[in-house]
Each structure stands twice: as C-alpha cells, then as structure tokens.
Amino acid sequence: MAGPRVVIIGAGVVGAALADEISARGWTEVTVVDQGPLPATGGSSSHAPGLVFQTNASKTMTELARYTVEKFSSLEVDGKPCFLQVGGLEVATSPERLAEIQRRHGWLASWGIDSRLLNADECVERHPLVDRDKILGGLFVPTDGLAKAVLAVEAQIRRATERGVRFLARHEVLDVRQSEGRVTGVVTDHGEIDADIVVCCAGIWGPKIARMVGMNLPLTPLAHQLAWTGPVPALAGQTEEAVRPILRHQDADLYYRDRYDGIGIGYYGHRPMPVSADDILSVDEAEEMPSVLKFTEEDFEPAWTETRSLLPATQEAKVEEGINGLFSFTTDGYPLLGESPQVKGFWVAEAVWVTHSAGVGRAVAEWLVDGYCSSFDLHECDVNRFEPHQLSPEYVLARDCQNFVEVYDILHPLQPSGDPRPIRTSPFYARQQAHGAFFLEANGWERPQWYEANAPLVEGRNIPTPNDWAARYWSPIVGAEAQATRETVALYDMTALKRLEVTGPGAAAFLERLCTGKIDKSVGSVTYTLLLDHDGGIRSDVTVARLARDRFQVGANGNLDLDWFSRHLPADGTVQVRDITAGTCCIGLWGPLAREVLQPLTEEDFSNEGLKYFRAKHAYIGAVPVTAMRLSYVGELGWELYTTADQGLKLWDTLWAAAQPLGGVIAGRGAFNSLRLEKGYRSFGTDMTYEHDPYEAGVGFAVKLDKDDFIGKAALQRRKADVRRRLTCLTIDDPRAVVLGKEPVYDGEHAVGYVTSAAYGYTVGKGIAYAWLPAGLAEPGTRLHIGYFDQRIEAVVAEEPLFDPTMSRLRG
C-alpha cells in the first residue's frame, strides 16, 4: 500500500473514476464508502440516461467530456462496452437555433472536436424518425454517444480493486472527524475509518456531507424528467440497444436516446423542482432508489406533445414509464472541485454529471497526487471561486433553479444574470442610475456598461454598428465613451475589482515567495506581477502596492486569489490577509486632461515628477482621503483613486464637478474593454488561465528570474525555452465583423486556435481579437480567418500594442 490514507465518500461514477485514477498514480491506501449497493448505488449515476454531448462553451468542460469519452470507450465489463459511440445530433427548428448550432460548431472547432453542420435532409439520414419539415438543420458530433454509467462504475471499481483499493458498500457516513483544522477520519454506521484525506463525491448528498466539516456547498438537487416509451412500431425488430445518434431538440428543452425498440425522452422544460439534500430518502426507505422521485405526468404533457410532432413515429407508441430523477445543479453551471478552505484534507468533487465524470476523476487525482492539475484548467471549477454572497441559501436556490431553466437556452456572452439583483452596489450607484446606467453584473456588483446620459456624445462621431449578435447588450454610446476618454477625461467605477490587504512583519517576504516580480521595494511602489502554480501556469495577474513597510494592497481577480494567499500563509502568524473590497471603492480617473481635473483638488503634487508611473501615495482629494495609484488599464494618463465606502459618493461628486467644465464624461465597462484591448492588456480568466505560462501569454516582462525563489520558478525556467503557442493580436477591417470570444481561428481550412477577448477599437478604427495561435502563425502580417457563425472573417496578425506603443500618454 502506498500514499496517504484516502477515504472517498460515494461510489458513483465520480467516486469510482477518482479511485481508478488515483490508484493508477500509485496511491493505493484508498477506501471508497457508499450507503448503497455496488455498482448501482442509488445516486444520480444509477438512473442517468447516459447521454454524453461534448459541446460546451467552456474549453475545460469540453476537455473533461472528451477524456470521459476516450476512457469509457476503452472500458468493458465481461465483454459489454461501457460506451456506445453512436454520435450526437442537435437539430434546429428555428432560425435562432440554427445560428446557435453554427456558433456551437465554432466552439468545437476551437476546442479540437470533430463536428459537422448538416442540412435538414442530412439530419434525417442520420436520424430517420425526425420530421423533415420541422427542422432547418443540425450539428453532428461523431464521437458523442451513450455512457453506460453503471457498467462504467463497475469497470473502474474492478480496476481500482486490483490495485488494492477497498470498496465498502452499505456504509452510511455519519460524520467526518477532524482535529486542529484537519480531517482525521470518517465515521460510518459500521465504525470509523482513519483518513488523511477525505474526498466527497456524494453527488446529491454533497451538501449534507460537506456540512459535517462546516463547509457550505452551493449545490441544489433538482428533479429532471426522464420517460421511456413502449415499443415504437417503426423500430420493431431493433436488437441493438442504440443505432441512431443521441438527439437534442433544444428549442423545446428535449433530448432523446434509443433503447432497443423504444425511445428515452429527457425534458428540461418543466418547472424547477428543487429538493433539499436532507430530504432525500435513504437507500432502504426509497421505493426504487433515493435519487428517483415519482413521475409527474402533468409536467411531461408538453414534452410528449412536442415529441409526437418532431418524431411522428411515436404517435403510435405510449409513455410506459417515467421518473423525476435528481441531478446536481450549481449557481454557474460548473462543478465544485477542490479542498475546503477551513478544513485541510477535506476535498470535494461535486456537481459532476456522467458526461464529465472520468475527466474530473483524472483532474482531482492529479491535483491530489501532484499538488496541481496538469491536464485541465480548473479555475472555473474550483469550489473556492465564490464570493460570500454566492453561498447564501437564497442566492444558491435562485441561481441553481435558473440554471435548470436555462440549460438549453441560447445565452449571449453578456446576458445579464437573473434574480436576486441587485446584490452589491458601489457608493456611486445612485449617481449612475441618475445618468441612465445600463448595468451588467460582475461578482455580484452592479457595474455600468454604458450611460444613456452620454447619448448626445454619439452625434457627429463615426461609431460603426456591429452585427446583430454583437449588437446585443451594446450601444453606440460605448464607442462615444471610449473616444471621449482619449480626448478629455473620464470617470470609471472600478469598485468591482477585488482588493486584498496583506499586512505583518513577514508580508514582504510572503509576497516575494508568491509573486514573479520584485515586491520588496520602496514604500509607494506598485508592481504588476503574476501568481504561478507549481507547474509554471498562470494562476492570476495582480498589482501589488506597498503602502507602508508592513502593509500592501493587492488588486486581485477574484476569490481564488484570496484562497491562494490564505493557503500559503506562514504558520507563525507574521502575515495576515483580508478582503477589503466591501469596505472600499475605487474610481479610475483617466484621460489626457486627468491631471487638470485632479491637481486643483489637492495640495499633493500630482505632476509627473510628484507621482511617477506605477507609484502610489496617500492624498486628500477635496475633503476625501484617498490612496492614489498611478496606473491605467485603458492606456491613458490617470490614477486609480481608492477610498472607504462611506466617502465614495463624496469623492465621485468632487471629481465629477471638476471634470464637467473640461468636457469630462463618466464611462462604462464597454468602453473600458475596448480601450484595454487597444493597449493589449490581458484579462485573467479570459485571455490567460492556469494552462498558459507567462511567455506564451506575452507577460514575460512581469517575471524576474533573477530574484530569489518563487512558486513556479523552476518549472518556468524549463518552459521558457519551448514556447509553441502565443496569445496574439488580430485586427479586422470590416467594422460590422465584431466577434465576442471563443470563435475558431483558421489557417486555410484548418482550425489552428481560438479567440479569447474581442471588441471594436473605437480609437484605432479596427476590430480587435486576441487569440491563441501556434507560435509560427503569430508573426505580424499573417493573414487568417475567424469562424463566426456561418461566416469566415478575414483577420491579420498585428504588432501590439495597437495604441500608443511608446507609452507616452501613460507616462506624460
């Protein structure tokens, strides 16, 4: 036996995959417990219909599904395959859905999955039961198919058992023991099992298990309808379980699969039916299994009506059985993976469907054994990504139910979130409302995208209108605000950016250890730097301002940065980290006239000599004490001005009164994004993630390899010499051809990369798209095409930055 003592709670498709993957990596002192029998334990895996569609807007989710397909295709139990690769077909019955499947085809090309767009006749050739007159076209993915979940569980149990893993059926978990902030064991109704690591793979019971260690898991079990027809005469004599592709009719929230001479019908169009994890019956109490609730025929009636229309052959059949099966939903649609922030050794692998199960098993196994995941970028899936308000029961229930309703909806990348809103508002909110702000949400904050009060600015300007899709949640005011920022001066609400305070006698050394840049500099220094994982991948990019000898302010990207800092705190108590975002606010004052606005309001010297670029100092702006940092994400002269939340409104009013006579404006996030792309500034989570290193991402300047050791340094020294891809600036001449991100980039007929961030550059007069490309294609002047719905848009690799390459406007 080797490795630490690991207890996995749950032997469903996730727990079995993790046991298999972790034992394959040499950890064999592993025990898997489940309250149910094996291999059909009574959880979601036991009733899952098994449809595996790999198409997803998330590259990570697609890659987790691709690995699941590859692994399950290689598994069998006593000669019975664990995966039936019949392909997957999505059909469109409306022009909007036809456009959507073209966009989805683009995602697959971006992520390297083979797929084909079909006309209506070709769809019927693939699935002859479909009514030709109902559909306009479809998307076919040859490698999709049906996972035999229970067989896959059994196959992976057998493999893990051969390596020494113990599986204990009929063991109900009663408690998770802990001591001094670390797990020590799991208590079952058969006794206690000692453990160094406990991984919760309990699925719909996850919140109940997590509460045993005081962890709030934002997961809701919701009932989802699945029905089976009796024999369909048109399928009489079918002896194979499945011969037609799995089918999605997303316009009606429906999916279909073969079962010999009958058809399985899954339906998401009914009302959300949430269930508390505490109310799920035990294995012995449940009539069929705990995860199966009584079928509600009245909820299924619209589905059956639509089914008989799309698949006319079903008119001669009947629905003979049905269930309301429980599945896990989360507030953002992503799994919950990672270690508890409070209890060391307690991990979760939750809200994972069969589609992604084997991929998650591999990811978590790598994370546990190696200390990081090398196969997948997991920043979207980390359980510690949530802000505190996102863990409230009201929020979790509302957003989880919304995700159920929207599971097959056509969602725009900028589409506003639903209730509950508003949740977080900056001190400037009332003023922004008065100026007609159009708000989108950012980490719960109401953040203006543009201001209707600026509509008069549009007159006389050349603001091209983008294509219909890009024009959603857009206004020509965005372009006017961007141009006005470069002409005069603008106020931007930057409050939504997370701010951390790092203090204590060990703060400087602590930050030196975590950051790629030099941090132990003079008071007033501001440093743009990176946080790396141990494999050299970028965990975040941050700014670190030294405000006193033992006090630093960090401009972070989100809660994962706080979690990363907290996990690396020294045990001697010499460093403290706290989130100061809620008690503070920030205004970005930027533009060529920024100094003319600010200097008359203060006795401090804000000349170029008085506060140089990337320096900070304390000052009074009128009556308001601020921390002023001379940096700019839009590429213009100016400052980020921080103060406490109680004085934020006074700061806004003071600056606005001074800016108005100079022609100043207030501007929103739409303008901000356009301006930052003109300057080539990267956005973590969009342009670069854990899977990228600084040299690929074009931020190698933020790495100081000559400094003392920092996390990721050794790996980075190995990676530096082998840069095979680059984050690259593309420009587009057609002003209507604005793309939004995740579109494939083609060299001839071959997809060679994908777009990350994109916008129209209103002051350079070109569309801008940043994209990951092979290094050999990242040379300026290279001509490529971007796949956008059914179009190919001409683009050319450009030298960056597109605006002010000499940095004269920033440093003036």
Side-chain angles (χ1 to χ4, degrees), residues 187-204:
V187 180
T188 77
D189 56 354
H190 289 270
E192 186 167 343
I193 306 168
D194 293 334
D196 304 303
I197 294 170
V198 174
V199 188
C200 178
C201 303
I204 54 178

Side-chain angles (χ1 to χ4, degrees), residues 234-384:
L235 305 182
Q238 181 175 318
T239 57
E240 294 182 61
E241 179 178 353
V243 296
R244 278 163 292 279
I246 53 177
L247 177 66
R248 280 204 280 196
H249 176 24
Q250 292 176 293
D251 280 326
D253 297 301
L254 285 161
Y255 64 77
Y256 304 94
R257 57 151 294 177
D258 285 7
R259 188 174 71 169
Y260 300 103
D261 62 352
I263 294 176
I265 307 166
Y267 185 44
Y268 287 105
H270 55 80
R271 60 191 168 90
M273 293 184 271
V275 175
S276 169
D278 296 314
D279 294 334
I280 301 172
L281 297 177
S282 69
V283 173
D284 293 328
E285 292 172 322
E287 183 175 333
E288 183 174 351
M289 65 180 75
S291 60
V292 170
L293 306 182
K294 185 179 179 181
F295 189 59
T296 50
E297 294 182 8
E298 64 277 10
D299 289 304
F300 194 72
E301 286 179 7
W304 184 231
T305 299
E306 180 61 27
T307 295
R308 286 177 291 176
S309 174
L310 181 71
L311 308 176
T314 60
Q315 294 175 10
E316 301 178 62
K318 295 180 179 179
V319 174
E320 293 196 346
E321 54 182 303
I323 64 170
N324 285 3
L326 294 178
F327 288 98
S328 301
F329 282 79
T330 61
T331 57
D332 57 8
Y334 292 106
L336 306 173
L337 312 178
E339 188 180 24
S340 161
Q342 288 88 27
V343 180
K344 291 184 178 179
F346 184 82
W347 289 67
V348 299
E350 288 287 344
V352 181
W353 292 5
V354 173
T355 300
H356 309 102
S357 58
V360 165
R362 177 176 181 174
V364 176
E366 289 179 357
W367 200 349
L368 285 166
V369 174
D370 301 330
Y372 58 89
C373 177
S374 58
S375 296
F376 310 97
D377 162 35
L378 297 181
H379 85 274
E380 294 171 317
C381 306
D382 194 314
V383 70
N384 298 294

Side-chain angles (χ1 to χ4, degrees), residues 435 450-459 477 480-481 656 664-668:
H435 283 85
W450 69 82
Y451 294 88
E452 287 295 333
N454 288 329
L457 284 175
V458 177
E459 187 174 351
I477 297 170
E481 291 176 357
W656 182 231
V665 301
I666 51 176

